[in-house]
Amino acid sequence: VTADEPVAPVTQKGLFAFGSTGDLQNVKNLVNSSGVVASDATGVGTARYYVAAASYGGDKAIFAYGYDDSSNLSMSNLVNNSGTVGSDVSGVGTARFSLAAAGYGDDLAIFAYGDTGSVTSLKNLCNNSGVIAADVTGVGTARTELAAARYGVGLAVFAYGNTGSFSSLKNLVSNVGVVASDVSGVGTARDVLAAAAYGGDKAIFGFGYTGSNTGVTNLVNNVGVIASDVSAVGTARRMVAATNYGGDKAIFGFGNTADGITNGTGITNLVNTSGVVASDTSAVGTARWYTAGAGYSFSA
């Protein structure tokens, strides 16, 4: 007698939300299961940037923390499985910005690192109802402007960022949300990059700033090993965002191509199931930077 193993459903859609054009934004752009980015939809919640986002609850997303040009924030906004962004939820944990977030476990999320006025390694776990827990003392080198993504089975990785200088450090996260100590990085040290899951059990880090903008990517295998640089495809930029979509693919979007508010962009780059980054897709949404992305919805 044989029995089929149950197969967990996969996230089919994504969204980008919040950011800055020089003015704070709370617009969102939904991404369908084919990677097509929709035009702007009116946002909900406090307009802000330097925000982080992750999937939680299997088919929902959460955006949290950030900066509103006057203060650090600890609020969150939940996204349901139809892509509707909820109103502000009073935050838990230390207000900060330029942190990163990823899904882990079966349906949980983790926010970690960032800038509270000084660089930190604090973490906050998020349960499958979207409730963010109190601060947990961090592990690993405090840093900001890093990226994170899910990989393997219930695992996550935080990598790159800025410790006072550009970093390529990584910290792996277990399926119960324990952040491991630093591992020496691979690839070009940089900050203000983005990361997303792809291929079912892998992740990709891409773009960022090294002193100049870059479009290099680094693939992460299903045991958390980050590979060396892959030459850039698409416009080099920083302050970019990324999300998974279509079950096993990813998309990078938005960012800033040079200094100044006139250089924001809304271009996107799709990532296939092998981790190959496609050339630029023309912008649909408002050109902006320091937005964030996350996957949602089991329905294509």
Side-chain angles (χ1 to χ4, degrees):
V1 176
T2 61
D4 291 333
E5 288 283 343
V7 177
V10 292
T11 303
Q12 293 289 341
K13 300 174 183 176
L15 80 161
F16 297 98
F18 301 97
S20 177
T21 62
D23 294 315
L24 301 178
Q25 301 293 311
N26 65 356
V27 298
K28 70 177 181 182
N29 300 87
L30 301 181
V31 182
N32 72 14
S33 60
S34 298
V36 176
V37 180
S39 56
D40 295 344
T42 302
V44 172
T46 296
R48 61 196 190 273
Y49 62 144
Y50 293 108
V51 67
S55 299
Y56 82 94
D59 62 349
K60 294 172 280 293
I62 180 171
F63 289 75
Y65 301 95
Y67 188 70
D68 68 358
D69 273 345
S70 63
S71 59
N72 299 339
L73 303 171
S74 64
M75 64 184 58
S76 64
N77 300 84
L78 302 182
V79 182
N80 69 15
N81 59 12
S82 298
T84 301
V85 179
S87 56
D88 296 341
V89 176
S90 297
V92 172
T94 298
R96 61 197 191 275
F97 64 95
S98 290
L99 68 165
Y104 79 94
D106 290 332
D107 53 6
L108 309 172
I110 179 173
F111 293 83
Y113 301 93
D115 192 327
T116 66
S118 59
V119 180
T120 184
S121 60
L122 289 173
K123 75 173 183 183
N124 299 83
L125 302 181
C126 175
N127 70 15
N128 59 11
S129 297
V131 177
I132 297 176
D135 296 341
V136 176
T137 302
V139 172
T141 298
R143 58 196 189 276
T144 186
E145 297 181 331
L146 70 167
R150 176 187 287 271
Y151 79 93
V153 179
L155 308 174
V157 54
F158 288 80
Y160 301 95
N162 196 305
T163 64
S165 59
F166 299 118
S167 172
S168 61
L169 292 173
K170 75 175 182 183
N171 299 84
L172 301 181
V173 181
S174 75
N175 62 1
V176 293
V178 176
V179 179
S181 55
D182 296 341
V183 176
S184 297
V186 171
T188 297
R190 59 199 191 274
D191 62 11
V192 289
L193 71 164
Y198 82 93
D201 60 357
K202 293 172 279 290
I204 181 171
F205 288 81
F207 300 89
Y209 186 69
T210 65
S212 59
N213 290 339
T214 183
V216 298
T217 56
N218 300 84
L219 302 182
V220 184
N221 69 14
N222 61 5
V223 293
V225 177
I226 299 179
S228 55
D229 294 344
V230 176
S231 298
V233 172
T235 298
R237 57 199 191 274
R238 62 185 185 268
M239 308 171 192
V240 67
T243 179
N244 59 300
Y245 78 93
D248 55 3
K249 294 172 279 292
I251 179 172
F252 290 91
F254 302 92
N256 196 304
T257 61
D259 292 330
I261 64 174
T262 61
N263 295 303
T265 184
I267 59 176
T268 56
N269 301 85
L270 300 181
V271 181
N272 70 15
T273 57
S274 299
V276 176
V277 179
S279 56
D280 296 344
T281 299
S282 299
V284 172
T286 294
R288 60 192 190 274
W289 57 91
Y290 282 132
T291 185
Y296 76 96
S297 182
F298 292 148
S299 172

